Amino acid sequence: MDVTALRALQAPLKDEYRTNPDAAVITLKAHGELDDQHIACKVETGRAIAMAGLHPATGGSGLELCSGDMLLEALVACAGVTLKSVATAIEVPLKTGNVYAEGDLDFRGTLGVDKETPVGFAEIRLRFEVDTPAPQDKLDLLLKLTERYCVVYQTIKNGPKVSVSMQRM
């Protein structure tokens, strides 16, 4: 897809969102199912069922997906799509590229071994490798705009308001 095709695709959406801001607000949803047989959660991905379970560092078999890995994979997916979209929009030709995310966890917090150890990622690093003839100033702009418009990156970075509830079935 080139810049003209991308702009043509997005122009009516942008026009609609400018005139009707409420149309731009969409609630994305995810669903998982638990059973009485496994310490796992079946997650519907829209394309398949993903079975998430304990990481081996917390006693898992390693056969199920780790939700921490899934978070990093969501970051890689979003950042990669955003990078390609922005590169198209600002006309930075990308021959190939790679997107990497890695994060540091201290499982003492997750397992309650040390109450002072935080639960969750202490640090996440996102890295891009791109094969392009574009000059450095265009690459700097590409990175800046990718950070700005990547939904998962911005969500992790800014920590949205989160609520939790429970009810009986």
Side-chain angles (χ1 to χ4, degrees), residues 11 34 46 71 77 83 103 110 125 129 142:
L34 310 173
L71 176 72
L83 179 84
T110 302
R125 294 169 297 282
E129 293 176 350
L142 177 58

Side-chain angles (χ1 to χ4, degrees), residues 108-167:
R108 293 176 301 160
T110 302
L111 290 175
V113 171
D114 180 355
K115 302 292 186 207
E116 302 301 314
T117 301
V119 176
F121 285 99
E123 184 176 338
I124 294 175
R125 294 169 297 282
L126 178 63
R127 178 171 51 95
F128 301 96
E129 293 176 350
V130 293
D131 182 3
T132 179
Q136 188 60 48
D137 64 324
K138 284 287 240 183
L139 290 181
D140 294 342
L141 179 61
L142 177 58
L143 181 60
K144 178 183 173 183
L145 294 175
T146 298
E147 286 181 56
R148 169 70 179 98
Y149 295 112
C150 178
V151 170
V152 175
Y153 172 80
Q154 287 295 327
T155 301
I156 292 169
K157 182 180 174 206
N158 295 314
K161 177 182 172 186
V162 178
S163 63
V164 179
S165 66
M166 182 182 296
Q167 61 192 43

Side-chain angles (χ1 to χ4, degrees), residues 5 8 10 13 15 26 34 45 83 88 90 94 98 107 113 119 121-122 147 153 160:
Q10 292 181 340
L13 296 169
D15 289 343
I26 297 170
L34 310 173
T45 67
L83 179 84
T88 300
I90 65 172
L94 292 180
N98 294 300
F107 284 103
V113 171
V119 176
F121 285 99
E147 286 181 56
Y153 172 80

Side-chain angles (χ1 to χ4, degrees), residues 50-100:
M51 181 68 83
L54 293 172
H55 187 280
T58 62
S61 67
L63 297 175
E64 298 91 7
L65 299 169
C66 166
S67 54
D69 289 333
M70 293 169 73
L71 176 72
L72 296 177
E73 291 160 359
L75 176 59
V76 164
C78 188
V81 169
T82 304
L83 179 84
K84 284 291 292 181
S85 179
V86 170
T88 300
I90 65 172
E91 299 183 273
V92 170
L94 292 180
K95 294 177 185 173
T96 62
N98 294 300
V99 184
Y100 301 94

